[in-house]
């Protein structure tokens, strides 16, 4: 029966990821809760059939039903990754609902970072509050091993952020992951993210001078670590 939960969670995840894209698209511009989605090119209001995560993209072959403009495949990819991000969440448990909020906040940050190479701190504020609350409740459980695993990477990111070699966003996400999960989990997530970035970097013609959005890679690393847990 476990696979039925897996599939329903995957579907919930694709819907959440689809809505995350809408939130980032409309942030500061229009209401993203009650108003219906529109095509950003022809402004035509989308019908329910155009908004089914993954399926609509496949049926419409990645184009708007009305003006036929090409819809970036990143939308499809985000929904697909979202499905896996929430795959193991038990929506009947308070702890897992908190995990889902952390994952959703980080997904918003990843999408924003991908689009504009930065994210508003308010997007990760729920994750930050939940992770701080979590570390305070479990402060007595922090071991020397945890500190040994945490401090070098934390100081490295702090140093690189001060030198402006990497954005403060990476440091914030590292703190959220360390506080909410643990330092080992955060380190493995960042290691997986770095490997994914390296693979993409070697496989594409990305320029060394181009700023790279690292949060989407952290998100991929996070999904892999969550699935391996
Ligand atoms: Zn259109």
């Amino acid at each position: 029966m476990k696979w039925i939960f897996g599939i329903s969670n995957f579907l919930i995840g694709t819907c959440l990821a689809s809505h995350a894209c809408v939130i980032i698209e409309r942030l500061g511009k229009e209401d993203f809760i009650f108003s219906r989605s529109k095509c950003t090119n022809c402004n035509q209001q989308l019908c329910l059939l155009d908004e089914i995560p993954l399926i609509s993209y496949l049926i419409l072959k990645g184009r708007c039903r009305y003006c036929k403009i090409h819809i970036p495949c990143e939308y499809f990819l985000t929904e697909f990754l979202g499905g896996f991000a929430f795959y193991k969440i038990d929506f009947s448990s308070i702890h897992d609902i908190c995990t889902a909020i952390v994952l959703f906040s980080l997904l918003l940050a990843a999408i924003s970072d991908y689009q504009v190479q930065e994210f508003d701190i308010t997007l990760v504020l729920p994750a930050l509050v939940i992770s701080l609350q979590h570390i305070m409740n479990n402060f007595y459980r922090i071991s020397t091993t945890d500190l040994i695993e945490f401090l070098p990477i934390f100081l490295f990111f702090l140093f690189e952020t001060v030198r402006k070699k990497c954005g403060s966003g990476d440091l914030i996400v590292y703190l959220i992951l360390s506080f909410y999960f643990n330092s080992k989990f955060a380190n493995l997530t960042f290691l997986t993210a770095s490997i994914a970035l390296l693979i993409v970097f070697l496989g594409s013609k990305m320029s060394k001078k181009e700023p790279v959005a690292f949060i989407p890679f952290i998100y991929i690393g996070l999904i892999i670590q969550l699935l391996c847990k």
Side-chain angles (χ1 to χ4, degrees):
M1 287 302 273
K2 229 178 168 183
W3 62 274
I4 296 181
F5 288 105
I7 290 174
S8 59
N9 277 2
F10 184 87
L11 295 177
I12 294 170
T14 59
C15 294
L16 288 171
S18 173
H19 197 63
C21 292
V22 174
I23 292 177
I24 296 300
E25 210 165 82
R26 299 190 196 171
L27 203 64
K29 288 182 226 157
E30 52 183 313
D31 167 40
F32 51 75
I33 299 175
F34 297 111
S35 68
R36 292 291 301 273
S37 288
K38 289 177 194 161
C39 166
T40 49
N41 185 52
C42 64
N43 243 354
Q44 173 73 41
Q45 206 170 69
L46 304 182
C47 69
L48 213 59
L49 278 176
D50 303 332
E51 294 188 82
I52 307 167
L54 301 178
I55 310 281
S56 296
Y57 190 93
L58 292 175
I59 291 175
L60 297 168
K61 297 191 178 85
R63 289 182 184 277
C64 166
R65 184 192 295 276
Y66 311 98
C67 67
K68 305 289 176 206
I69 195 171
H70 182 71
I71 303 162
C73 63
E74 281 87 345
Y75 284 95
F76 182 84
L77 201 65
T78 308
E79 288 169 357
F80 190 68
L81 287 175
F84 286 109
F86 296 88
Y87 187 77
K88 284 191 170 177
I89 297 287
D90 174 3
F91 286 98
S92 63
S93 127
I94 302 270
H95 174 265
D96 275 23
I97 299 247
C98 288
T99 309
I101 296 171
V102 170
L103 293 177
F104 190 74
S105 293
L106 293 177
L107 181 58
L108 291 175
I111 298 169
S112 175
D113 192 40
Y114 181 80
Q115 291 183 350
V116 290
Q117 272 83 52
E118 60 177 9
F119 65 87
D120 197 304
I121 188 78
T122 49
L123 295 177
V124 291
L125 205 56
L128 209 52
V129 170
I130 289 174
S131 59
L132 281 172
Q133 174 77 33
H134 189 268
I135 194 76
M136 283 195 290
N137 288 347
N138 295 283
F139 208 72
Y140 63 95
R141 285 194 193 163
I142 298 173
S143 64
T144 320
T145 319
D146 288 330
L147 285 176
I148 292 170
E149 281 169 340
F150 172 75
L151 281 173
I153 312 288
F154 168 68
L155 291 174
F156 168 76
F157 274 111
L158 191 64
F159 183 63
E160 291 296 294
T161 306
V162 172
R163 282 177 66 210
K164 298 209 184 306
K165 287 277 177 192
C166 75
S168 55
D170 300 329
L171 179 65
I172 294 169
V173 172
Y174 182 71
L175 290 176
I176 291 172
L177 294 179
S178 298
F179 291 171
Y180 189 69
F181 298 96
N182 56 55
S183 319
K184 190 181 173 188
F185 182 89
N187 292 353
L188 284 172
T189 298
F190 272 64
L191 179 67
T192 321
S194 307
I195 294 169
L197 175 65
L198 196 67
I199 293 169
V200 171
F201 186 79
L202 293 175
S204 69
K205 287 175 186 151
M206 271 161 81
S207 153
K208 273 184 190 169
K209 284 178 185 159
E210 246 173 69
V212 178
F214 191 46
I215 317 277
F217 289 97
I218 298 175
Y219 208 77
I220 293 170
L222 174 60
I223 293 170
I224 294 172
Q225 291 310 317
L226 285 170
L227 291 175
C228 294
K229 231 164 83 157

